[in-house]
Amino acid sequence: DTEVTQTPKHLVMGMTNKKSLKCEQHMGHRAMYWYKQKAKKPPELMFVYSYEKLSINESVPSRFSPECPNSSLLNLHLHALQPEDSALYLCASSHPGQGANTEAFFGQGTRLTVV
Amino acid sequence: DQQVKQNSPSLSVQEGRISILNCDYTNSMFDYFLWYKKYPAEGPTFLISISSIKDKNEDGRFTVFLNKSAKHLSLHIVPSQPGDSAVYFCAASAGTYKYIFGTGTRLKVLA
């Protein structure tokens, strides 16, 4: 099983809403990531969790709040987003191998539209 | 500051021929490189990787070459197939969990 599952696939939310994106993997990976991708741009790293602890926050605005309840799950809580936050949000996971040099597996993404 | 660059936004190749996708990087601390393939509205799919201690890695139709002195890597796909049509991203890591992606190259394989 080399699958990372993200829900929902599509999400439309208003600027005053609170919503959450969910990500799940059962590959035994202990590193999990959130990336954001805008149209015609590369994926940009937002957060990394290593062994359920936040290890990298790429100066992401506080309206994005990550959570890693256990080694298989990763959430991204959204609150008071702006229309420019509309993007494809990608979750990934990897096995923290030697020097963390190992491939990351990505989910299908959540297409988020903020209205 | 784009540390990983793919200077060709698009590439068209005839079916059966070789596709060569290029990637340049500026950070000499990068020691692990990956190629991903991406279809629209889907997540990237891992293709192949290479460590900086190697200069070549092969997996079936895919070969990645690394030239550390030139800070350049390339992905060769032989033979190219119509199903290979997608956007290809190279990515690099400096021994951390931080993968930096290039800007992508859209490959179109013509039947």
Side-chain angles (χ1 to χ4, degrees):
Chain A
D1 181 10
T2 56
E3 198 169 288
V4 177
T5 304
Q6 289 187 244
T7 55
K9 289 198 75 172
H10 302 275
L11 178 63
V12 179
M13 61 185 288
M15 289 188 283
T16 59
N17 291 160
K18 284 186 183 181
K19 296 285 184 185
S20 297
L21 309 184
K22 297 187 184 301
C23 175
E24 190 168 2
Q25 57 87 14
H26 296 288
M27 294 179 276
H29 290 170
R30 301 305 296 273
M32 295 188 76
Y33 312 72
W34 281 114
Y35 279 83
K36 171 182 177 178
Q37 187 177 23
K38 303 278 273 186
K40 300 191 189 300
K41 296 285 188 182
E44 292 182 2
L45 182 65
M46 300 175 71
F47 303 103
V48 181
Y49 274 83
S50 173
Y51 293 92
E52 295 90 71
K53 289 190 180 358
L54 184 65
S55 63
I56 297 178
N57 177 344
E58 289 288 280
S59 303
V60 179
S62 60
R63 57 186 184 269
F64 296 91
S65 175
E67 178 197 19
C68 190
N70 59 54
S71 59
S72 300
L73 294 174
L74 185 67
N75 299 321
L76 185 63
H77 303 297
L78 314 171
H79 173 54
L81 295 193
Q82 303 296 312
E84 58 265 29
D85 295 321
S86 298
L88 181 68
Y89 287 84
L90 295 161
C91 173
S93 71
S94 69
H95 193 294
Q98 289 183 336
N101 281 347
T102 181
E103 62 269 22
F105 292 89
F106 282 81
Q108 296 279 70
T110 294
R111 172 69 61 190
L112 174 68
T113 304
V114 181
V115 297
Chain B
D1 177 27
Q2 189 68 34
Q3 296 184 65
V4 182
K5 296 179 187 178
Q6 295 173 254
N7 291 318
S8 297
S10 63
L11 175 68
S12 290
V13 171
Q14 284 295 129
E15 182 180 6
R17 305 296 290 269
I18 184 170
S19 294
I20 300 176
L21 298 103
N22 294 304
C23 180
D24 297 295
Y25 61 95
T26 57
N27 188 342
S28 57
M29 298 299 291
F30 288 146
D31 61 359
Y32 189 66
F33 305 88
L34 311 93
W35 283 95
Y36 284 86
K37 172 181 176 179
K38 189 177 184 300
Y39 295 115
E42 290 188 10
T45 301
F46 170 74
L47 284 175
I48 192 168
S49 62
I50 188 166
S51 163
S52 61
I53 62 173
K54 294 185 173 182
D55 54 19
K56 179 182 173 181
N57 190 25
E58 276 183 271
D59 185 0
R61 296 187 298 116
F62 302 94
T63 303
V64 57
F65 295 92
L66 176 63
N67 183 333
K68 288 188 290 294
S69 60
K71 294 193 179 68
H72 177 84
L73 65 154
S74 61
L75 174 69
H76 292 208
I77 307 173
V78 181
S80 301
Q81 300 172 352
D84 296 329
S85 298
V87 178
Y88 288 77
F89 289 97
C90 64
S93 168
T96 69
Y97 298 114
K98 195 168 172 176
Y99 300 88
I100 306 296
F101 282 79
T103 45
T105 296
R106 182 175 302 279
L107 174 65
K108 192 170 185 179
V109 179
L110 307 169

